Amino acid sequence: MSRTTKSVPLVLVALLALAGCSSSPAVEADPTDAADPGTSAATGDTISGTGYSFQVPEGWGEPEQEIEGFDPDAFAADLDDADGFSDNVNVILSPAGEVTPEQVETLGVEELEGVGATDVEIGDRITVAGSESAHLSAALASEGTEYVVDQFYVTADGQTYVVTFSFSPTVSDADRDEIAESVLASWTWS
């Protein structure tokens, strides 16, 4: 089992606990509206999920190996990563349907801390394809592997898509931001 496969399930547990959140009225999103215009979109492979697609950086793609017990709506990893941890992005659909940024910034922080996350921070909200998204970051460890996550909560038509980027702790904050922002800048609704 690779280190990528070991770390993903813990992140999934932290996110699914938000299932108890109540939903609010749907945000109307323009399906052609991309992320903030100042960010260059990723230009690698296109990854598609339920009602959306996005592009990943060059060298990233869908791994051939499946992760036992993990069934994300979309998943891609840095296929050329050589530091022992494959940086990756996964998307799951919130079981609660729509989750508001306010709910994420309170309940999401509590849930991350409840599964042992440290350095949990609420980042600035961003707009992704017409949706205001909360941004949480945290440090986690699983089976001796430490990693850092950045989570975004993109909503359209009453459904929140939880986008989680997992990085080796050796990846700088600036590089994490650049990768996440480039992927989110390419997000489109179908």
Side-chain angles (χ1 to χ4, degrees), residues 1 5 27-28 32 35 52 61 65 67 84 94 98 104 108 116 139 161 185:
M1 186 181 278
T5 61
V27 173
E28 294 298 320
T32 60
Y52 64 90
Q65 178 184 1
I67 302 169
S94 167
E98 183 172 341
V104 169
Y161 302 81

Side-chain angles (χ1 to χ4, degrees), residues 10-27:
L10 179 59
V11 176
L12 180 63
V13 169
L15 300 174
L16 289 181
L18 289 174
C21 294
S22 62
S23 61
S24 62
V27 173

Side-chain angles (χ1 to χ4, degrees), residues 6 23 40 43 60 62 65 85 98 104 108 113 118 160 173:
K6 290 180 184 176
S23 61
S40 296
T43 58
W60 286 49
E62 296 177 282
Q65 178 184 1
F85 181 92
E98 183 172 341
V104 169
E113 290 173 342
T118 59
T160 295
D173 290 351

Side-chain angles (χ1 to χ4, degrees), residues 40-130:
S40 296
T43 58
D45 289 351
T46 298
I47 309 297
S48 296
T50 305
Y52 64 90
S53 64
F54 58 89
Q55 289 180 269
V56 291
E58 297 291 333
W60 286 49
E62 296 177 282
E64 291 180 19
Q65 178 184 1
E66 291 193 22
I67 302 169
E68 187 176 328
F70 182 58
D71 187 26
D73 194 57
F75 180 70
D78 183 347
L79 302 176
D80 299 325
D81 206 323
D83 70 359
F85 181 92
S86 294
D87 300 335
N88 63 83
V89 59
N90 74 74
V91 181
I92 62 170
L93 280 62
S94 167
E98 183 172 341
V99 180
T100 68
E102 293 80 13
Q103 290 168 319
V104 169
E105 292 168 354
T106 56
L107 298 174
V109 169
E110 293 170 10
E111 294 299 330
L112 283 168
E113 290 173 342
V115 296
T118 59
D119 301 324
V120 179
E121 293 182 8
I122 299 170
D124 292 336
R125 292 182 185 178
I126 65 168
T127 301
V128 179

